[in-house]
Amino acid sequence: MKKKPELLAPAGDLEKLKVAIAYGANAVYLAGKNFGLRTRATNFSESELLEGLYYAHQNGARVYVTLNILAHNEDLAELPKFVRWLAAVGVDAVIVSDPGIIAIIKKEAPDLEIHMSTQASVTNYAAAEFWKSQGLTRIVLARELSLDEIREIKEKVEVEIETFVHGAMCMSYSGRCLLSNFMVGRDANRGDCAQPCRWKYKLVEEKRPNEHYPVYEDDHGTYIMSSKDLRTIEFLPDLMKAGIDSFKIEGRMKSVNYVATVVNAYRQVIDEIYEKGDDYSFDEKWFDELSKSSHRHFTSGFYKEKAGPSAQSYDSSHYVRDFEFVALIREVEEDGVTAIIEQRNNFNLDQKLELLLPGGVVKDAKILIMWDMEGNSIVSAPHPQQVLKAVFDSEVKPYGILRREK
């Protein structure tokens, strides 16, 4: 392999940023309290963004801030000040889709690196060349492209290319959708999508308002707009050979368990491909590992062929959850086995648990004894986000993920 691509992870909040980097992300993308396309993620205050930026840079990772809304006039009042602040604190790049916002950035912070968002629907080399001519250094391509089309763009335009490799897909073209706005007044293009494409629909005849008829795509169900999740881990060698510069994982609204599990899997596979080259052979254990985070059924998207009926989930829009996220390891004492952990799902002392550690180690884990923070011995952790102290039967690390099979 000529080069190792960047692994770019979602950071919906400060905790997820630190977890993503601990599990091998080279860069994270996040939003401040405004101007990003995930307003219902926790997102970052200025003080949190400063802390996250410092943590990332101390650990050799980059931070990209999303300013990728399709802006209306009222969105622009506070933007110049925020752009100047981002440049002053040293963020590595901003992700933008609106030409007006690009103009503001060039005026207020001309040295700030700009990446073009997938929201711009760049699907050809002429569009990529145009945005390069405007000073943009990276293009996040539309998700509707095949691998051959991506390869051709990379060959014809000297610009960094970023593509999605894992996570939720949108049934609308590169996320440009008015369905949420029309149905519930929440603007998807300004970060507030209600995901009505995931809802279950029935048909009502005008003169029979109380008679609901199911809308069948086929004999299996009625979820005619709900896309499956993207998964490309099995053909990462092809993506790497195509020269893609950055592999992007979707999921700023997802859990810490999702971030750790998915980033770890892609990190391990990318490193192995880079090390072994043509001798690399995919191990299907990674399918099992990715299934341990909350997900919908998977599709390869548009990479191999145009997405057809098999890319949709007709029977349900619900997530598959074969494993439960039990607890996050916060701190580890010098002995390596005593730790402060934070509960995320009710668990008992005698339950069989699995532990995922930064660096890719997955092993069975047993808690030998645990106490609440007042020093009282306990046998269960029933309270949401309860902080407790535990002794394990083997070494653990900060940001370890405890989970159990359902």
Side-chain angles (χ1 to χ4, degrees):
M1 292 294 171
K2 291 184 292 185
K3 67 174 183 177
K4 188 183 292 187
E6 172 188 84
L7 182 58
L8 177 56
D13 57 33
L14 186 57
E15 179 182 73
K16 294 171 189 174
L17 177 148
K18 293 180 178 180
V19 167
I21 293 170
Y23 281 88
N26 303 115
V28 294
Y29 62 101
L30 56 86
K33 293 298 184 181
N34 298 301
F35 312 117
L37 279 177
R38 291 293 182 272
T39 59
R40 291 178 185 260
T42 303
N43 293 325
F44 287 70
S45 65
E46 290 190 355
S47 62
E48 289 169 335
L49 203 157
L50 281 172
E51 182 180 346
L53 187 63
Y54 178 80
Y55 181 89
H57 286 175
Q58 286 293 107
N59 288 276
R62 296 173 288 278
V63 174
Y64 308 143
V65 176
T66 61
L67 306 176
N68 56 345
I69 61 169
L70 299 183
H72 291 239
N73 293 332
E74 63 266 26
D75 296 317
L76 301 180
E78 298 297 320
L79 183 62
K81 178 181 177 182
F82 187 54
V83 166
R84 292 193 297 270
W85 184 82
L86 291 175
V89 300
V91 301
D92 297 278
V94 289
I95 305 171
V96 178
S97 62
D98 189 306
I101 292 181
I102 293 174
I104 290 172
I105 294 168
K106 287 186 172 183
K107 177 182 177 183
E108 302 294 337
D111 295 329
L112 187 56
E113 186 172 325
I114 305 174
H115 297 174
M116 176 51 69
S117 171
T118 191
Q119 291 293 112
S121 302
V122 175
T123 58
N124 61 77
Y125 58 80
E129 186 66 58
F130 171 79
W131 289 117
K132 178 192 172 185
S133 74
Q134 299 302 303
L136 277 68
T137 58
R138 179 181 293 186
I139 310 296
V140 188
L141 293 178
R143 304 184 205 199
E144 294 78 20
L145 292 177
S146 69
L147 188 55
D148 287 340
E149 290 173 308
I150 293 170
R151 187 182 294 110
E152 184 176 5
I153 291 171
K154 185 62 182 175
E155 290 172 351
K156 292 188 174 182
V157 186
E158 291 187 10
V159 69
E160 289 186 1
I161 294 298
E162 178 181 309
T163 63
F164 283 89
V165 295
H166 196 92
M169 294 282 280
C170 180
M171 54 77 63
S172 186
Y173 209 93
S174 291
R176 291 190 172 205
C177 182
L178 295 176
L179 192 60
S180 176
N181 212 340
F182 174 76
M183 299 189 72
V184 293
R186 286 171 48 181
D187 192 342
N189 297 305
R190 297 167 82 186
D192 200 22
C193 184
Q195 295 198 4
C197 57
R198 307 291 183 187
W199 300 350
K200 188 172 185 177
Y201 291 92
K202 293 186 177 181
L203 181 67
V204 179
E205 196 275 328
E206 179 182 5
K207 296 182 179 180
R208 298 173 177 81
N210 295 319
E211 295 184 31
H212 291 185
Y213 304 95
V215 182
Y216 286 109
E217 176 73 16
D218 60 17
D219 292 336
H220 298 293
T222 60
Y223 293 85
I224 57 175
M225 294 184 288
S226 183
S227 298
K228 292 180 180 178
D229 283 357
L230 178 66
R231 184 192 67 196
T232 67
I233 197 165
E234 63 269 40
F235 51 86
L236 286 185
D238 294 336
L239 275 65
M240 292 173 70
K241 288 177 181 176
I244 296 169
D245 298 278
S246 181
F247 291 167
K248 188 171 194 172
I249 297 168
E250 182 277 338
R252 277 185 284 157
M253 300 287 287
K254 303 289 182 63
S255 71
V256 169
N257 178 45
Y258 171 92
V259 172
T261 301
V262 176
V263 170
N264 173 67
Y266 280 82
R267 174 79 281 148
Q268 302 303 318
V269 172
I270 290 169
D271 290 350
E272 187 177 355
I273 296 168
Y274 186 78
E275 178 184 342
K276 294 183 177 180
D278 292 338
D279 293 329
Y280 169 79
S281 178
F282 178 69
D283 189 335
E284 291 193 359
K285 73 177 184 181
W286 296 113
F287 290 157
D288 295 332
E289 182 62 20
L290 288 173
S291 72
K292 293 175 183 177
S293 66
S294 180
H295 64 281
R296 298 181 183 92
H297 296 296
F298 290 115
T299 174
S300 59
F302 291 78
Y303 281 108
K304 296 295 185 179
E305 58 186 4
K306 289 185 178 180
S310 63
Q312 302 293 113
S313 293
Y314 300 116
D315 56 346
S316 174
S317 65
H318 298 306
Y319 285 101
V320 179
R321 293 183 173 93
D322 296 326
F323 274 69
E324 289 181 316
F325 176 25
V326 169
L328 176 69
I329 297 176
R330 289 288 188 193
E331 303 172 24
V332 179
E333 296 186 359
E334 289 186 4
D335 63 7
V337 295
T338 305
I340 303 298
I341 67 176
E342 183 178 306
Q343 182 258 41
R344 296 302 171 88
N345 267 300
N346 186 357
F347 70 95
N348 299 320
L349 190 61
D350 59 353
Q351 285 180 332
K352 179 181 178 181
L353 301 176
E354 185 176 87
L355 179 63
L356 170 64
L357 295 176
V361 173
V362 179
K363 61 182 180 180
D364 291 336
K366 183 173 177 59
I367 298 176
L368 303 177
I369 188 170
M370 59 186 183
W371 307 266
D372 62 25
M373 296 311 290
E374 284 73 45
N376 302 306
S377 179
I378 55 177
V379 295
S380 66
H383 306 300
Q385 294 190 281
Q386 180 179 359
V387 178
L388 50 103
K389 192 172 185 178
V391 176
F392 289 83
D393 63 343
S394 62
E395 286 192 1
V396 296
K397 294 180 181 180
Y399 302 117
I401 298 289
L402 283 164
R403 58 198 184 192
R404 63 166 174 247
E405 190 169 6
K406 292 179 70 172

